[in-house]
């Protein structure tokens, strides 16, 4: 703050007062404001609403009509971003038209919708969790199969313990408490990154495993497709990629249908199977002879336990999405989590019981669930329904990762642990870069392991239970620090869940190390290394940009704006006079001659005909920002500084810093309620252009330039993005003031 005051005093020595700069403005910078969050109301079946344009009508014409809530902009000429035209048409065909100036309005879900949408990952895991446990136990022959029920009972207890633990997390973090947030808040930066690494690994493998299990359900019903399983899986990932890049989510009821269909199919299968077993007094069908290939020992039992515990994946999803519930959010989230755990335990225990009673053993080319359906239904319509519902819910479970992975990555980018481009939403209001990264990573993993669920499961448990363990450990620290009402009970629940999760993590890491768990451990280590290096780079850049009192570039003479008055009849003249400042002998063209209202022809041929306004979009008062301000002021043309804040608190902070600096130039603040910066800025510049189409607007951007080009990808390319967005508008120039680091 002291340095900022000192820099302000240096500016005061060489700059005219703010009143002088403000009187020189040829426009009215106050064009209204963006809507408040309370005014953002989505359509009944959408999550997108239009944002009203800035400013008054131009030359008596009404503002452009906006599309209805949830709709896309009308078809028009391709944006410069989409050139050449062939690429533009392909994007429009695959992804739909880019959305007009829009704001996201979160869709609040009631419990009956939230349950299937957020539980798809967890509930679908019963399609492969029991079989993964059985695949390990059968290695010990009939003796190993005998441990199915005891191990399943232990996993059920673990499900209950983890579920109760996450109920405490929801109470402590009513605004959403994923493993990354909880671990970072309570254990520190490195444990938070390790938890994030576990989550990211989990989400990538969720896509790969869910697609593999879904394809297995299809090929079990249609064995002729088994040779094409890899191709089918890659095509499914591509379809999920395209669907998620479209960005718009319809009502949750659409996504609820596959989960409810799967639950109904499993409940019906369990009921029919148990009724059949009851007719024979619950006597198990004798197992087919199973030759032992390994001895029955503690390591084999632990491996089976770790494999079966993958049926718990996705339990964390509800604690991440607490704000998506209808009020009272945390109470509804806890109730939904309780329902999910109850259904998960019922389905898991029921499937394991049927496997035990029907004597099902793993078989190449057909899943255990398919064998159960064949055993109880034959090959009739119920068998087809069961397999179709299983495949559908597994694909939906993969889609859950497409929602969560980009959001965790955006949180990492917000905290400078990932490239900032992952914090940016695409044209369709989705974290497009994160979605693409997830698709590529999951596709590579799927192909590398030949799309086989049994090969992918050993990688799965490590990431899942690493995140579980750190999240629960963070909650223990949270309750110990807080010590509010019932803190002891909550601490015991979280400590129990954390201990059991750590047991599974260690078990999976040791027993499955050579089977592929080492890949997950290496991935976590590599992730930690990369994210810490990225944070170190951003810290280095921040240090280079930090204000230094005697490092600010200022002119040696007093600077003040020189203004040439507009031609007679031009609206928006600062003083309402005609054209006393127009040089003799020069004809200044009248904007009334424009072909269309609000548009100006680019007919200036000599310098005297050009009337300037410099716009300086600035994010923070660092050295790069100060250099851009100094450059703009040195041109001695009217200057307007624009700051886009993503929240009221950020706006107040910037305003305080601006006052400390001295308020030497006119400032216009825009508060964006939907955490976007480029769209409101373009909207505002376009509104100024329509207010005074005779002006040449020069947008001067501070730009950090890396001397080492390998770091360039870590920094946003605001100038090129603004150039592409503003290129269709006439008489707007975008330039940058580089600051080399």
């Amino acid at each position: 703050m002291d340095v900022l005051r000192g820099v302000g005093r240096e500016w005061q020595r060489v700059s005219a007062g703010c009143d002088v700069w403000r009187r020189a403005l040829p426009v009215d910078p106050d064009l209204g404001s963006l809507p408040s969050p309370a005014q953002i109301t989505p359509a009944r079946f959408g999550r997108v609403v239009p944002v009203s344009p800035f400013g008054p009508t131009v030359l008596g014409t009404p503002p452009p009509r906006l599309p209805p809530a949830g709709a896309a902009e009308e078809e028009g000429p391709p944006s410069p971003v989409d050139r050449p035209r062939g690429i533009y048409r392909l994007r429009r065909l695959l992804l739909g038209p880019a959305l007009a100036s829009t704001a996201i309005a979160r869709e609040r879900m009631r419990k009956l919708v939230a349950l299937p949408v957020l539980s798809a990952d967890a509930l679908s895991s019963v399609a492969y969790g029991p079989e993964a446990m059985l695949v390990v136990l059968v290695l010990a022959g009939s003796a190993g199969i005998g441990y199915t029920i005891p191990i399943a009972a232990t996993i059920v207890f673990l499900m209950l313990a983890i579920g109760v633990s996450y109920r405490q997390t929801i109470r402590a973090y009513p605004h959403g408490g994923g493993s990354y947030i909880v671990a970072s808040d309570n254990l520190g930066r490195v444990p938070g990154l390790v938890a994030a690494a576990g989550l990211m690994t989990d989400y990538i493998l969720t896509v790969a495993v869910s697609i593999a299990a879904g394809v297995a359900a299809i090929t079990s019903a249609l064995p002729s497709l088994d040779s094409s399983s890899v191709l089918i899986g890659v095509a499914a990932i591509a379809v999920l990629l395209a669907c998620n890049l479209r960005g718009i989510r319809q009502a949750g009821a659409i996504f609820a249908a596959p989960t409810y269909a799967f639950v109904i199919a499993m409940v019906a299968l369990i009921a029919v199977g148990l009724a059949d077993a009851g007719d024979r007094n619950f006597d198990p069908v004798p197992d087919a002879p199973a030759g032992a290939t390994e001895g029955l020992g503690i390591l084999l039992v632990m491996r089976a336990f770790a494999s079966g515990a993958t049926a718990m994946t996705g339990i964390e999803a509800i604690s991440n999405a607490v704000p998506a519930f209808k009020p009272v959010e945390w109470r509804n989230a806890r109730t939904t989590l309780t329902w999910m755990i109850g259904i998960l335990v019922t389905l898991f225990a029921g499937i394991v019981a049927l496997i035990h009673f029907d004597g099902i053993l793993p078989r190449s080319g057909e899943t255990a669930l398919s064998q159960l359906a064949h055993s109880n239904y034959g090959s009739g319509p119920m068998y087809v329904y069961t397999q179709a519902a299983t495949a559908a819910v597994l694909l939906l479970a993969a889609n859950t990762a497409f929602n969560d992975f980009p959001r965790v990555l955006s949180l990492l980018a917000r905290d400078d642990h990932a490239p900032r481009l992952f914090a940016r939403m695409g044209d369709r209001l989705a974290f497009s870069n994160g979605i693409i990264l997830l698709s590529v990573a999951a596709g590579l993993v799927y192909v590398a392991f030949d799309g086989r669920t049994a090969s992918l499961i050993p990688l799965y448990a490590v990431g899942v239970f690493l995140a579980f363990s750190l999240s629960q450990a963070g909650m223990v620290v949270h309750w110990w620090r807080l010590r509010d009402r019932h803190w002891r009970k909550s601490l015991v629940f979280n400590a129990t869940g954390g201990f059991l999760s750590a047991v599974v993590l260690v078990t999976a890491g040791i027993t499955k190390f050579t089977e592929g768990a080492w890949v997950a451990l290496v991935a976590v280590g590599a992730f930690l290394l990369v994210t810490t290096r990225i944070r170190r780079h951003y810290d280095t850049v921040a240090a280079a940009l930090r204000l230094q009192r005697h490092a600010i570039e200022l002119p040696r003479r007093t600077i003040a704006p020189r203004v040439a008055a507009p031609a007679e009849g031009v609206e928006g003249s600062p003083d309402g006079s005609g054209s006393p400042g127009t040089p003799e002998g020069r004809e200044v063209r009248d904007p009334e001659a424009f072909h269309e209202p609000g548009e100006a022809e680019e007919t200036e041929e000599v310098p005297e005909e050009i009337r300037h306004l410099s716009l300086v979009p600035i994010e923070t008062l660092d050295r790069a920002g100060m250099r851009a301000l100094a450059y703009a002021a040195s041109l001695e043309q009217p200057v307007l500084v624009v700051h886009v804040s993503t929240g009221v608190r950020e706006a107040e902070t910037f305003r305080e810093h601006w006052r400390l600096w001295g308020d030497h130039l006119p400032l216009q603040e825009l508060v964006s309620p939907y955490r976007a910066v480029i769209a409101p800025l373009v909207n505002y510049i376009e509104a100024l252009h329509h207010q005074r189409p005779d002006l040449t607007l020069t947008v001067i951007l501070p730009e950090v330039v890396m001397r080492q080009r390998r770091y360039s990808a870590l920094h946003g390319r605001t100038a090129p993005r603004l150039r592409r967005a503003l290129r269709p508008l006439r008489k707007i120039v975008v330039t940058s003031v580089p600051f080399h680091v």
Side-chain angles (χ1 to χ4, degrees):
M1 299 302 179
D2 289 337
V3 173
L4 194 57
R5 289 191 189 94
V7 172
R9 285 193 291 269
E10 293 184 26
W11 264 82
Q12 189 173 5
R13 290 189 297 102
V14 298
S15 175
C18 183
D19 291 341
V20 175
W21 288 96
R22 188 169 294 278
R23 285 196 302 270
L25 287 178
V27 294
D28 179 7
D30 189 4
L31 301 179
S33 61
L34 293 164
S36 67
Q39 295 172 311
I40 300 176
T41 305
R44 183 176 180 183
F45 296 107
R47 298 178 70 184
V48 173
V49 296
V51 173
S52 300
F54 283 102
T57 59
V58 181
L59 299 179
T61 62
R65 292 188 61 186
L66 290 171
E73 65 179 352
E74 295 181 1
E75 191 74 25
S79 165
V81 180
D82 297 315
R83 291 175 180 166
R85 194 173 183 85
I87 298 177
Y88 162 78
R89 291 187 181 277
L90 181 62
R91 285 186 59 181
R92 283 291 179 100
L93 177 65
L94 295 178
L95 306 181
L99 294 171
S101 300
T102 52
I104 298 174
R106 176 171 286 136
E107 180 184 25
R108 295 297 184 115
M109 294 185 289
R110 53 197 177 98
K111 295 190 288 290
L112 286 177
V113 173
L115 175 64
V117 170
L118 299 176
S119 303
D121 188 9
L123 298 181
S124 66
S125 61
V126 302
Y128 51 80
E131 183 175 7
M133 174 182 66
L134 202 62
V135 165
V136 177
L137 290 176
V138 78
L139 297 176
S142 299
I145 297 298
Y147 278 83
T148 300
I149 299 299
I151 294 176
T154 306
I155 293 173
V156 166
F157 174 76
L158 182 61
M159 289 177 178
L160 294 172
I162 297 297
V164 172
S165 299
Y166 271 105
R167 279 177 57 89
Q168 313 311 311
T169 302
I170 291 172
R171 181 164 70 90
Y173 286 85
H175 300 294
S179 296
Y180 171 65
I181 294 175
V182 174
S184 297
D185 285 353
N186 299 288
L187 302 178
R189 180 189 300 178
V190 173
L193 289 176
V194 175
L199 279 178
M200 307 289 267
T201 305
D202 176 29
Y203 291 139
I204 293 171
L205 291 172
T206 291
V207 176
V209 172
S210 296
I211 294 295
V215 172
I218 295 172
T219 56
S220 294
L222 301 170
S224 60
L225 297 177
D226 185 65
S227 59
S228 303
S229 59
V230 174
L231 183 61
I232 295 173
V234 171
I237 293 175
V239 171
L240 287 173
L241 168 64
C243 291
N244 282 277
L245 285 179
R246 292 186 69 87
I248 303 303
R249 302 290 185 268
Q250 301 302 322
I254 297 175
F255 296 95
T259 308
Y260 278 130
F262 176 74
V263 171
I264 292 171
M266 294 299 100
V267 170
L269 178 62
I270 292 169
V272 171
L274 291 179
D276 184 57
D279 291 341
R280 57 177 189 271
N281 297 321
F282 294 100
D283 292 328
V285 173
D287 295 333
T293 58
E294 291 187 22
L296 180 63
I298 185 64
L299 285 179
L300 186 137
V301 172
M302 292 172 66
R303 282 168 54 198
F305 171 69
S307 295
T310 56
M312 297 174 53
T313 59
I315 287 180
E316 187 189 53
I318 292 178
S319 70
N320 285 337
V322 176
F325 284 83
K326 288 188 174 182
V328 175
E329 292 86 348
W330 67 270
R331 185 175 297 144
N332 288 332
R334 280 166 63 104
T335 302
T336 305
L337 177 63
T338 302
W339 289 355
M340 184 190 75
I341 295 298
I343 296 173
L344 177 61
V345 167
T346 300
L347 297 186
F348 180 83
I351 295 298
V352 171
L354 287 189
I355 289 174
H356 173 69
F357 289 131
D358 291 356
I360 300 296
L361 294 178
R363 184 188 304 170
S364 176
E366 186 176 15
T367 65
L369 205 57
S370 175
Q371 295 181 56
L372 284 175
H374 261 140
S375 175
N376 290 279
Y377 298 140
S379 299
M382 282 303 294
Y383 171 77
V384 175
Y385 168 73
T386 301
Q387 293 302 102
T390 301
V393 78
L394 285 166
L395 292 177
L396 178 61
N399 194 68
T400 303
F402 278 91
N403 292 331
D404 292 339
F405 179 95
R407 294 189 182 279
V408 174
L409 196 54
S410 71
L411 291 176
L412 289 167
R414 179 199 66 183
D415 295 337
D416 289 342
H417 291 298
R420 290 170 181 164
L421 62 91
F422 290 112
R424 189 172 68 236
M425 285 188 171
D427 290 342
R428 298 288 296 180
L429 300 179
F431 293 106
S432 306
N433 295 318
I435 290 171
I436 294 171
L437 177 62
L438 172 62
S439 302
V440 172
L444 291 175
V445 170
Y446 181 84
V447 172
F449 287 85
D450 204 27
R452 300 299 175 186
T453 308
S455 302
L456 290 164
I457 288 293
L459 286 73
Y460 207 10
V462 173
V464 174
F465 286 96
L466 178 60
F468 282 177
S469 302
L470 288 171
S471 175
Q472 299 310 307
M475 288 305 304
V476 170
V477 174
H478 172 82
W479 296 123
W480 181 260
R481 290 173 176 171
L482 188 61
R483 303 196 183 194
D484 62 351
R485 186 182 179 189
H486 303 310
W487 71 272
R488 289 185 176 84
K489 179 180 69 174
S490 299
L491 188 148
V492 169
F493 284 143
N494 286 120
T496 303
F499 173 75
L500 294 175
S501 298
V503 169
V504 179
L505 172 64
V506 173
T507 300
I510 294 175
T511 61
K512 296 181 175 294
F513 185 83
T514 57
E515 298 179 26
W518 65 271
V519 176
L521 294 174
V522 169
V524 170
F527 179 89
L528 189 62
L529 176 64
V530 171
T531 52
T532 52
R533 290 288 298 272
I534 290 174
R535 177 59 184 263
R536 190 180 308 154
H537 168 75
Y538 281 132
D539 288 344
T540 301
V541 172
L545 291 173
R546 191 170 294 123
L547 277 180
Q548 300 174 23
R549 184 172 301 175
H550 302 294
I552 303 301
E553 299 182 24
L554 290 174
R556 298 182 180 276
R557 58 184 175 82
T558 302
I559 51 175
R562 296 195 311 268
V563 184
E568 184 176 357
V570 176
E571 296 185 14
S573 175
D575 55 6
S577 61
S579 54
T582 304
E584 294 185 14
R586 293 297 178 189
E587 175 190 358
V588 180
R589 293 168 177 82
D590 190 342
E592 296 293 338
F594 297 162
H595 296 292
E596 295 182 7
E599 291 293 339
E601 288 199 3
E602 298 157 313
T603 55
E604 296 93 341
E605 298 169 356
V606 292
E608 291 83 354
E609 291 183 328
I610 297 178
R611 289 176 293 278
H612 292 276
L613 172 62
S614 297
L615 296 174
V616 186
I618 191 167
E619 180 181 357
T620 183
L621 292 175
D622 55 15
R623 291 181 66 189
M626 285 295 178
R627 192 163 189 268
L629 293 177
Y631 173 80
S634 69
L635 299 178
E636 299 186 4
Q637 298 292 340
V639 174
L640 176 61
V641 183
V642 183
H643 175 73
V644 181
S645 301
T646 57
V648 176
R649 182 176 300 177
E650 180 184 338
E652 292 174 350
T653 301
F654 183 85
R655 196 178 305 119
E656 179 186 355
H657 291 173
W658 188 262
R659 285 196 296 265
L660 281 174
W661 174 63
D663 193 19
H664 297 292
L665 295 172
L667 171 68
Q668 183 65 31
E669 290 187 275
L670 310 175
V671 179
S672 170
Y674 44 94
R675 302 190 63 81
V677 174
I678 295 295
L681 184 56
V682 171
N683 196 321
Y684 182 78
I685 294 172
E686 185 174 6
L688 288 179
H689 169 72
H690 283 300
Q691 184 186 121
R692 284 293 305 275
D694 60 303
L695 290 177
T696 296
L697 303 182
T698 302
V699 183
I700 300 173
L701 296 168
E703 183 176 8
V704 178
V705 179
M706 295 293 105
R707 289 192 175 93
Q708 296 177 309
R709 297 188 63 181
R710 66 176 182 270
Y711 292 118
S712 298
L714 298 180
H715 297 271
R717 298 179 57 79
T718 304
R721 292 174 62 202
L722 270 177
R723 286 192 188 97
R724 288 194 295 267
L726 296 173
R727 192 175 297 163
L729 298 179
R730 300 177 182 181
K731 303 178 72 171
I732 292 183
V733 179
V734 181
T735 187
S736 59
V737 179
F739 184 89
H740 294 84
V741 177

